[in-house]
PDB file of all heavy atoms in Angstrom:
ATOM      1  N   ASN Z 153       5.828  -3.140  -5.356  1.00 97.00           N
ATOM      2  CA  ASN Z 153       6.536  -1.896  -5.733  1.00 97.00           C
ATOM      3  C   ASN Z 153       6.064  -1.458  -7.116  1.00 97.00           C
ATOM      4  O   ASN Z 153       5.968  -2.286  -8.019  1.00 97.00           O
ATOM      5  CB  ASN Z 153       8.076  -2.080  -5.729  1.00 97.00           C
ATOM      6  CG  ASN Z 153       8.554  -2.336  -4.302  1.00 97.00           C
ATOM      7  OD1 ASN Z 153       8.244  -1.665  -3.399  1.00 97.00           O
ATOM      8  ND2 ASN Z 153       9.344  -3.378  -4.190  1.00 97.00           N
ATOM      9  N   ILE Z 154       5.835  -0.159  -7.239  1.00 97.00           N
ATOM     10  CA  ILE Z 154       5.355   0.427  -8.478  1.00 97.00           C
ATOM     11  C   ILE Z 154       6.201   1.609  -8.843  1.00 97.00           C
ATOM     12  O   ILE Z 154       6.584   2.425  -7.969  1.00 97.00           O
ATOM     13  CB  ILE Z 154       3.867   0.963  -8.291  1.00 97.00           C
ATOM     14  CG1 ILE Z 154       2.928  -0.169  -7.836  1.00 97.00           C
ATOM     15  CG2 ILE Z 154       3.384   1.634  -9.567  1.00 97.00           C
ATOM     16  CD1 ILE Z 154       2.821  -1.316  -8.822  1.00 97.00           C
ATOM     17  N   ILE Z 155       6.568   1.716 -10.116  1.00 97.00           N
ATOM     18  CA  ILE Z 155       7.233   2.887 -10.586  1.00 97.00           C
ATOM     19  C   ILE Z 155       6.359   3.521 -11.692  1.00 97.00           C
ATOM     20  O   ILE Z 155       5.690   2.789 -12.429  1.00 97.00           O
ATOM     21  CB  ILE Z 155       8.669   2.617 -11.108  1.00 97.00           C
ATOM     22  CG1 ILE Z 155       8.685   1.555 -12.180  1.00 97.00           C
ATOM     23  CG2 ILE Z 155       9.575   2.254  -9.960  1.00 97.00           C
ATOM     24  CD1 ILE Z 155      10.000   1.378 -12.906  1.00 97.00           C
ATOM     25  N   LEU Z 156       6.398   4.837 -11.776  1.00 98.00           N
ATOM     26  CA  LEU Z 156       5.693   5.533 -12.848  1.00 98.00           C
ATOM     27  C   LEU Z 156       6.615   5.688 -14.070  1.00 98.00           C
ATOM     28  O   LEU Z 156       7.826   5.979 -13.869  1.00 98.00           O
ATOM     29  CB  LEU Z 156       5.238   6.904 -12.382  1.00 98.00           C
ATOM     30  CG  LEU Z 156       4.303   6.907 -11.155  1.00 98.00           C
ATOM     31  CD1 LEU Z 156       3.893   8.382 -10.843  1.00 98.00           C
ATOM     32  CD2 LEU Z 156       3.094   6.045 -11.366  1.00 98.00           C
ATOM     33  N   VAL Z 157       6.057   5.471 -15.221  1.00 97.00           N
ATOM     34  CA  VAL Z 157       6.819   5.690 -16.443  1.00 97.00           C
ATOM     35  C   VAL Z 157       6.084   6.718 -17.263  1.00 97.00           C
ATOM     36  O   VAL Z 157       4.873   6.753 -17.279  1.00 97.00           O
ATOM     37  CB  VAL Z 157       6.992   4.365 -17.283  1.00 97.00           C
ATOM     38  CG1 VAL Z 157       7.915   3.383 -16.535  1.00 97.00           C
ATOM     39  CG2 VAL Z 157       5.710   3.710 -17.599  1.00 97.00           C
ATOM     40  N   ARG Z 158       6.858   7.582 -17.878  1.00 95.00           N
ATOM     41  CA  ARG Z 158       6.269   8.705 -18.598  1.00 95.00           C
ATOM     42  C   ARG Z 158       5.514   8.215 -19.819  1.00 95.00           C
ATOM     43  O   ARG Z 158       6.067   7.503 -20.665  1.00 95.00           O
ATOM     44  CB  ARG Z 158       7.373   9.685 -19.015  1.00 95.00           C
ATOM     45  CG  ARG Z 158       6.841  11.044 -19.379  1.00 95.00           C
ATOM     46  CD  ARG Z 158       7.912  12.041 -19.489  1.00 95.00           C
ATOM     47  NE  ARG Z 158       8.391  12.375 -18.178  1.00 95.00           N
ATOM     48  CZ  ARG Z 158       9.137  13.423 -17.912  1.00 95.00           C
ATOM     49  NH1 ARG Z 158       9.539  14.191 -18.884  1.00 95.00           N
ATOM     50  NH2 ARG Z 158       9.532  13.681 -16.669  1.00 95.00           N
ATOM     51  N   LYS Z 159       4.273   8.572 -19.883  1.00 89.00           N
ATOM     52  CA  LYS Z 159       3.398   8.228 -21.025  1.00 89.00           C
ATOM     53  C   LYS Z 159       3.825   9.081 -22.214  1.00 89.00           C
ATOM     54  O   LYS Z 159       3.948  10.287 -22.096  1.00 89.00           O
ATOM     55  CB  LYS Z 159       1.960   8.457 -20.658  1.00 89.00           C
ATOM     56  CG  LYS Z 159       0.967   8.028 -21.643  1.00 89.00           C
ATOM     57  CD  LYS Z 159      -0.463   8.305 -21.131  1.00 89.00           C
ATOM     58  CE  LYS Z 159      -1.497   7.710 -22.024  1.00 89.00           C
ATOM     59  NZ  LYS Z 159      -2.819   7.914 -21.475  1.00 89.00           N
ATOM     60  N   LYS Z 160       4.004   8.435 -23.341  1.00 81.00           N
ATOM     61  CA  LYS Z 160       4.393   9.170 -24.543  1.00 81.00           C
ATOM     62  C   LYS Z 160       3.148   9.770 -25.145  1.00 81.00           C
ATOM     63  O   LYS Z 160       2.118   9.169 -25.328  1.00 81.00           O
ATOM     64  CB  LYS Z 160       5.024   8.220 -25.579  1.00 81.00           C
ATOM     65  CG  LYS Z 160       6.331   7.660 -25.035  1.00 81.00           C
ATOM     66  CD  LYS Z 160       7.039   6.881 -26.039  1.00 81.00           C
ATOM     67  CE  LYS Z 160       8.109   6.175 -25.343  1.00 81.00           C
ATOM     68  NZ  LYS Z 160       9.368   6.140 -25.689  1.00 81.00           N
ATOM     69  N   VAL Z 161       3.282  11.077 -25.456  1.00 71.00           N
ATOM     70  CA  VAL Z 161       2.168  11.803 -26.055  1.00 71.00           C
ATOM     71  C   VAL Z 161       2.310  11.739 -27.549  1.00 71.00           C
ATOM     72  O   VAL Z 161       3.320  12.086 -28.129  1.00 71.00           O
ATOM     73  CB  VAL Z 161       2.154  13.267 -25.575  1.00 71.00           C
ATOM     74  CG1 VAL Z 161       1.022  14.069 -26.175  1.00 71.00           C
ATOM     75  CG2 VAL Z 161       2.089  13.351 -24.016  1.00 71.00           C
ATOM     76  N   SER Z 162       1.256  11.259 -28.241  1.00 66.00           N
ATOM     77  CA  SER Z 162       1.338  11.123 -29.717  1.00 66.00           C
ATOM     78  C   SER Z 162       1.030  12.482 -30.324  1.00 66.00           C
ATOM     79  O   SER Z 162       0.433  13.382 -29.720  1.00 66.00           O
ATOM     80  CB  SER Z 162       0.320  10.081 -30.191  1.00 66.00           C
ATOM     81  OG  SER Z 162      -0.956  10.527 -30.009  1.00 66.00           O
ATOM     82  N   LEU Z 163       1.393  12.674 -31.549  1.00 61.00           N
ATOM     83  CA  LEU Z 163       1.123  13.893 -32.289  1.00 61.00           C
ATOM     84  C   LEU Z 163      -0.308  14.191 -32.381  1.00 61.00           C
ATOM     85  O   LEU Z 163      -0.718  15.349 -32.358  1.00 61.00           O
ATOM     86  CB  LEU Z 163       1.769  13.868 -33.684  1.00 61.00           C
ATOM     87  CG  LEU Z 163       3.306  13.849 -33.720  1.00 61.00           C
ATOM     88  CD1 LEU Z 163       3.771  13.791 -35.147  1.00 61.00           C
ATOM     89  CD2 LEU Z 163       3.825  15.130 -33.073  1.00 61.00           C
ATOM     90  N   SER Z 164      -1.144  13.198 -32.463  1.00 59.00           N
ATOM     91  CA  SER Z 164      -2.584  13.409 -32.594  1.00 59.00           C
ATOM     92  C   SER Z 164      -3.169  13.996 -31.286  1.00 59.00           C
ATOM     93  O   SER Z 164      -4.197  14.646 -31.303  1.00 59.00           O
ATOM     94  CB  SER Z 164      -3.313  12.100 -32.955  1.00 59.00           C
ATOM     95  OG  SER Z 164      -3.184  11.173 -31.902  1.00 59.00           O
ATOM     96  N   GLN Z 165      -2.475  13.756 -30.182  1.00 56.00           N
ATOM     97  CA  GLN Z 165      -2.942  14.313 -28.889  1.00 56.00           C
ATOM     98  C   GLN Z 165      -2.533  15.762 -28.710  1.00 56.00           C
ATOM     99  O   GLN Z 165      -3.032  16.448 -27.872  1.00 56.00           O
ATOM    100  CB  GLN Z 165      -2.413  13.477 -27.712  1.00 56.00           C
ATOM    101  CG  GLN Z 165      -3.026  12.105 -27.698  1.00 56.00           C
ATOM    102  CD  GLN Z 165      -2.425  11.282 -26.537  1.00 56.00           C
ATOM    103  OE1 GLN Z 165      -1.214  11.261 -26.361  1.00 56.00           O
ATOM    104  NE2 GLN Z 165      -3.235  10.596 -25.814  1.00 56.00           N
TER     105      GLN Z 165
END
Side-chain angles (χ1 to χ4, degrees):
N153 294 311
I154 303 297
I155 57 170
L156 301 182
V157 293
R158 199 169 285 194
K159 186 177 186 178
K160 296 187 191 230
V161 180
S162 69
L163 291 177
S164 63
Q165 292 175 316

